[in-house]
Amino acid sequence: MGDITRLMEQSEPLSASGASQGGDDFLWGFWYPVLRSNRIRGRKLVTSTRLEVPLVLGRDAAGKPFALRDVCPHRAFPLSLGHYDGQTVECAYHGWRFDAHTGQCRMVPSVTQDSKLQCDRIYAGSFPCEERDGYVWAYFADLESRSPGAAVPRAAPELPKYGGAYRIAHLSANFACSMDTAMIGLMDPAHGPFVHRAWWWRSRRSIREKHKTFEPIPQGFRMSSHTPSANSAPYKLLKIYGGDVTTQIDFVLPNMRTEEIRCGKYWFTNRTTITPIRRDLCRLDFCAAWNLFFWFPLVAPLLHFFGKRFIAQDQRVIELQKPGLEVQPRMMLIDDADRQARWYFQLKSAYLASQQSGTPMSHPMEGPVTLRWRS
């Protein structure tokens, strides 16, 4: 009975829509990647959807990106079907014009000179934009973002880089699941030998016990700097440089996992984000930068080849998991392998509670902790 009792204490079924997981609630007040920068050129208007918000994006005459809610506040007509002159977006239904960056209404053609309508008090939703690492990021303060001049508390995230020349690569994929389901997979350390079995990664024969130390960081947690696992083939390649290899992995709300691998003056950093498109569909964006093996031109093609295969394996698991989640939405998270998933849900719940109460966010971690699992 003792073993059974300990197992029950270490495991907890969590509902995919329960309060303990934060449900499928979107997290507002964060930057999210919306599009690759190369998708927006000239005066072309491009559409996208994030957090179930329809967006229309473009660039002004100086090349600065903008994002408006793709809904005219007059009759809810898509602004993306209208005309853009480099400064204002004109709705194709009644010709109303909106400033591309602020969303402020500049003209209503049907209004007469003696009308009391104050056009400048009408706003289409607008979202602050910044470009980082080949992406256009938008800041989602709320669903409609019709608060002109609202403060944006911080800059859009940027992948760490450590000077000098470097190369950069991007990968992306859609996952037919909720953001929470995808996030659990992103921080799951135990599925690798089963889902990602390959000669260049891991196999069942390579399973061994791991122990990693984690520490709290603002709105997230960190796997402290450590020597990479000996059963990960890609890390072994860095031994060519002869120095000590270390890796550090951060997770920060709402959706970002960042890894920094260092070997003396050589480095490889990567960031993965999971952004909800709808409640049942999300987008994975992977970005990597490096200065190691700079002399080898095939690093980027190889990264694309193996990375796509790696992501496709996760996509297949999610597709196969969907029927089970429909009849059993409650998921079991056990210590220690699933503790990171627990922290994610606790961080999410704490953030939502702080937004509702207006009080500082309470961090679920009190200090460093060491987790042990086999993978």
Side-chain angles (χ1 to χ4, degrees):
M1 288 293 293
D3 291 340
I4 295 177
T5 302
R6 283 193 295 272
L7 177 60
M8 293 178 66
E9 290 174 348
Q10 291 176 347
S11 64
E12 177 184 353
L14 296 179
S15 169
S17 59
S20 59
Q21 283 187 306
D24 291 326
D25 296 317
F26 295 144
L27 297 184
W28 305 95
F30 290 101
W31 289 93
Y32 290 90
V34 177
L35 280 178
R36 285 290 309 281
S37 295
N38 58 13
R39 289 279 311 279
I40 311 175
R41 299 176 180 177
R43 294 187 180 180
K44 179 182 178 182
L45 294 176
V46 181
T47 60
S48 184
T49 299
R50 295 293 184 270
L51 285 73
E52 296 187 343
V53 178
L55 299 171
V56 56
L57 301 100
R59 294 185 185 276
D60 62 20
K64 184 178 179 181
F66 65 85
L68 296 176
R69 191 166 180 262
D70 193 17
V71 180
C72 179
H74 178 215
R75 297 285 184 87
F77 198 78
L79 292 174
S80 56
L81 299 179
H83 174 71
Y84 174 54
D85 63 5
Q87 294 182 330
T88 61
V89 177
E90 179 187 85
C91 179
Y93 196 0
H94 294 89
W96 289 31
R97 287 185 171 272
F98 301 91
D99 183 277
H101 289 289
T102 66
Q104 185 178 40
C105 184
R106 297 300 190 191
M107 185 178 69
V108 176
S110 62
V111 170
T112 60
Q113 289 186 349
D114 59 349
S115 173
K116 295 182 180 180
L117 178 68
Q118 295 178 296
C119 297
D120 58 355
R121 293 190 178 184
I122 302 172
Y123 283 84
S126 63
F127 300 82
C129 279
E130 290 186 8
E131 288 190 82
R132 296 285 191 277
D133 305 316
Y135 294 94
V136 173
W137 295 71
Y139 183 80
F140 289 77
D142 53 52
L143 174 64
E144 297 192 357
S145 281
R146 293 184 181 175
S147 302
V152 179
R154 53 194 175 276
E158 185 170 6
L159 187 64
K161 308 175 194 73
Y162 296 98
Y166 64 88
R167 300 185 190 276
I168 193 165
H170 306 84
L171 288 168
S172 61
N174 286 345
F175 286 80
C177 65
S178 71
M179 177 179 174
D180 285 348
T181 299
M183 290 303 307
I184 290 177
L186 180 65
M187 57 185 61
D188 176 9
H191 74 281
F194 303 93
V195 176
H196 302 298
R197 282 181 289 172
W199 64 266
W200 51 272
W201 188 247
R202 293 178 185 174
S203 68
R204 291 192 183 193
R205 294 191 302 272
S206 71
I207 295 176
R208 62 190 65 185
E209 184 170 323
K210 310 286 178 62
H211 63 276
K212 309 293 183 184
T213 299
F214 292 80
E215 56 189 288
I217 57 176
Q219 295 187 332
F221 54 86
R222 169 176 295 161
M223 183 187 292
S224 306
S225 181
H226 62 280
T227 300
S229 300
N231 60 344
S232 295
Y235 295 121
K236 295 178 182 178
L237 295 175
L238 298 180
K239 292 183 178 179
I240 191 175
Y241 289 111
D244 294 332
V245 180
T246 62
T247 182
Q248 173 184 292
I249 301 175
D250 290 359
F251 171 78
V252 178
L253 287 179
N255 63 345
M256 188 168 8
R257 178 191 185 274
T258 304
E259 181 176 14
E260 301 182 33
I261 303 169
R262 307 293 297 273
C263 182
K265 65 179 181 180
Y266 299 101
W267 51 270
F268 179 96
T269 61
N270 65 83
R271 178 191 62 228
T272 304
T273 57
I274 302 290
T275 304
I277 298 174
R278 305 189 305 261
R279 295 184 188 277
D280 61 348
L281 181 67
C282 53
R283 179 78 167 182
L284 179 147
D285 287 295
F286 174 86
C287 179
W290 66 93
N291 74 343
L292 46 82
F293 301 119
F294 207 81
W295 44 267
F296 187 56
L298 296 181
V299 171
L302 288 172
L303 182 64
H304 277 93
F305 176 80
F306 291 115
K308 286 182 178 180
R309 180 177 175 182
F310 199 92
I311 293 171
Q313 291 168 336
D314 284 323
Q315 285 178 304
R316 181 174 182 271
V317 166
I318 286 175
E319 286 294 330
L320 295 174
Q321 184 185 22
K322 286 175 64 176
L325 287 177
E326 290 177 0
V327 298
Q328 182 181 306
R330 297 180 65 83
M331 295 176 287
M332 180 176 290
L333 302 179
I334 65 170
D335 278 341
D336 284 355
D338 295 331
R339 183 79 70 86
Q340 294 178 70
R342 285 174 177 261
W343 287 333
Y344 161 69
F345 290 124
Q346 291 168 351
L347 284 164
K348 183 177 178 181
S349 294
Y351 178 80
L352 291 169
S354 72
Q355 293 294 102
Q356 293 175 357
S357 65
T359 58
M361 176 178 165
S362 177
H363 203 291
M365 297 177 66
E366 295 182 356
V369 59
T370 298
L371 303 182
R372 292 176 171 82
W373 65 84
R374 284 174 54 80
S375 67

